[in-house]
Amino acid sequence: MNPGLKYLLMKEITITTIIRQCRPDELPSETRQLAKKAIEMVEHAYAPYSGFQVGAAILLSNGKVVGGSNQENAAFPSGMCAERTACYQAGALYPYAAFRRIVIAAGKRNKEGVFELTPQPISPCGACRQALLEYETKGAGPVEVVLYGAETCYVFPSVASLLPYAFTDF
Ligand code: THU
């Protein structure tokens, strides 16, 4: 049989993620408040090598908000992304609380040297998605992921929706 046809006959699985898109001022007020913390974290980034500053803020089931920013290092792989800095800080400080929502924002200096948030949101790297997914599983409920840009924001209903077919167990 023609190998192309063999694939055509196989069961097809479709992965669907419904992402909401809006302007920052259209986000619910609770999310805007968390976004403020994420933006504060962008300002706290230590990114002397890339000049790209990222911030994240996580809302926990106990009402606490934990932030993180990217922390770079002269030995490049030793640095850490904002999302995982926030995740691990939240996990270490409040081991029994579940993650409810995370807002991620980023920014850099423009040609005139003025710091600006990125107009479009950035998307977390694969390693951060994997780390976030672990906390979503641990917390036994969806963690809303809000990717914040100065002009456009995306809201994902869960970390799993950002990382389908993830490695979850062994
Ligand atoms: N970075 C993050 O902190 N989060 C992301 O989602 C993407 C990238 C950081 C890592 C590095 O310090 C800088 O941004 C440039 O890659």
Side-chain angles (χ1 to χ4, degrees):
M1 191 190 286
N2 152 351
L5 183 60
K6 214 168 178 181
Y7 280 107
L8 274 177
L9 293 173
M10 287 180 192
K11 178 174 147 66
E12 197 175 77
I13 298 168
T14 304
I15 303 170
T16 307
T17 299
I18 298 180
I19 305 165
R20 307 271 174 198
Q21 180 188 326
C22 66
R23 292 193 313 269
D25 61 319
E26 291 172 324
L27 289 167
S29 64
E30 209 198 358
T31 306
R32 286 206 306 271
Q33 217 178 309
L34 194 63
K36 256 193 194 168
K37 178 73 178 179
I39 292 165
E40 189 188 313
M41 289 296 104
V42 174
E43 288 154 12
H44 290 190
Y46 176 64
Y49 304 103
S50 71
F52 191 64
Q53 299 184 212
V54 186
I58 299 171
L59 173 69
L60 300 171
S61 55
N62 60 7
K64 302 278 185 193
V65 169
V66 175
S69 57
N70 55 330
Q71 301 294 318
E72 296 185 349
N73 191 281
F76 286 177
S78 308
M80 184 51 67
C81 292
E83 297 89 328
R84 271 176 292 161
T85 303
C87 266
Y88 298 152
Q89 178 161 222
L93 288 174
Y94 305 108
Y96 305 112
F99 289 20
R100 294 282 192 241
R101 177 178 294 120
I102 179 167
V103 179
I104 301 158
K108 60 182 171 194
R109 296 201 177 278
N110 66 17
K111 279 175 241 140
E112 288 77 44
V114 179
F115 185 82
E116 285 178 338
L117 287 176
T118 59
Q120 297 305 313
I122 66 145
S123 204
C125 77
C128 287
R129 291 175 199 215
Q130 184 72 36
L132 281 164
L133 185 77
E134 186 89 19
Y135 290 96
E136 181 166 83
T137 309
K138 183 179 172 228
V143 181
E144 190 180 80
V145 181
V146 180
L147 307 183
Y148 186 99
E151 288 171 10
T152 308
C153 299
Y154 294 128
V155 182
F156 287 74
S158 63
V159 179
S161 69
L162 256 179
L163 188 62
Y165 280 110
F167 175 70
T168 52
D169 214 348
F170 58 90

